[in-house]
Amino acid sequence: MIHLLVSDPFLDQVDLQKLEQAAAAALNHEEIDPESDLPLVVEDDAYLQVLNKEYLGIDAPTDVLSFPAGEGEIDPDSGHVYLGDIILSYPRAAEQAAAAGHPPMNEMQLLVVHGVLHLLGHDHAEENEKAQMWAAQQAILDRLGVQINRLPE
């Protein structure tokens, strides 16, 4: 199950249904049980900067962070597989969307898909991995009908 937690300042700007659809489409694409537990958190740049510094040693804000759970980890409350957490920065997504010329929710959906793919083991450190991940992202976004004027680097 997809669990959405949106910080109060962004509640009016975020379409929860679109975020849930993006996560569900990514899980479906990767053939993951839709009952798996997947928390999605929408916060601000400062929050993501703290996490980025603490966990990755990078003292800067970022658009999305994925924290995968251990393989086969079960949520004791639900009894479902717990995939990990995805945290998104709405201000960063809105800024990137404005620069690229597409709506902020399109960027948010891209970031959800990107985060889910990371949770499921995709990476883009090597060119061949990047090509596979970008192809998966594009296939999922196409299925959702989401137009992105560029993909993240």
Side-chain angles (χ1 to χ4, degrees):
M1 297 187 67
I2 299 160
H3 309 280
L4 297 165
L5 178 62
V6 179
S7 186
D8 287 344
F10 312 116
L11 280 173
D12 292 340
Q13 290 131 348
V14 174
D15 184 329
L16 300 179
Q17 185 177 9
K18 285 184 178 183
L19 293 184
E20 190 169 347
Q21 287 171 343
L27 293 175
N28 181 282
H29 184 271
E30 296 296 304
E31 300 179 352
I32 301 298
D33 181 357
E35 293 300 312
S36 299
D37 281 330
L38 174 62
L40 296 175
V41 178
V42 178
E43 269 292 346
D44 62 16
D45 279 349
Y47 188 83
L48 270 84
Q49 183 167 348
V50 167
L51 293 176
N52 207 16
K53 182 177 181 183
E54 182 175 339
Y55 291 98
L56 299 176
I58 301 170
D59 191 12
T62 190
D63 52 6
V64 60
L65 289 170
S66 297
F67 296 99
E71 190 168 325
E73 189 171 325
I74 303 294
D75 183 318
D77 294 329
S78 70
H80 298 290
V81 172
Y82 167 62
L83 298 174
D85 300 286
I86 298 172
I87 299 114
L88 309 160
S89 168
Y90 182 82
R92 179 73 32 170
E95 180 181 302
Q96 290 172 178
H102 54 252
M105 278 311 302
N106 289 24
E107 187 77 15
M108 292 292 288
Q109 287 177 285
L110 166 65
L111 295 175
V112 167
V113 169
H114 189 86
V116 170
L117 291 174
H118 271 305
L119 285 184
L120 301 177
H122 285 268
D123 200 2
H124 46 85
E126 303 292 328
E127 278 304 313
N128 64 328
E129 295 172 330
K130 182 178 177 178
Q132 289 175 355
M133 186 171 181
W134 267 222
Q137 276 181 172
Q138 194 59 55
I140 296 163
L141 293 171
D142 287 348
R143 185 172 185 184
L144 290 166
V146 174
Q147 290 293 116
I148 297 293
N149 294 332
R150 58 92 182 101
L151 291 175
E153 289 301 316

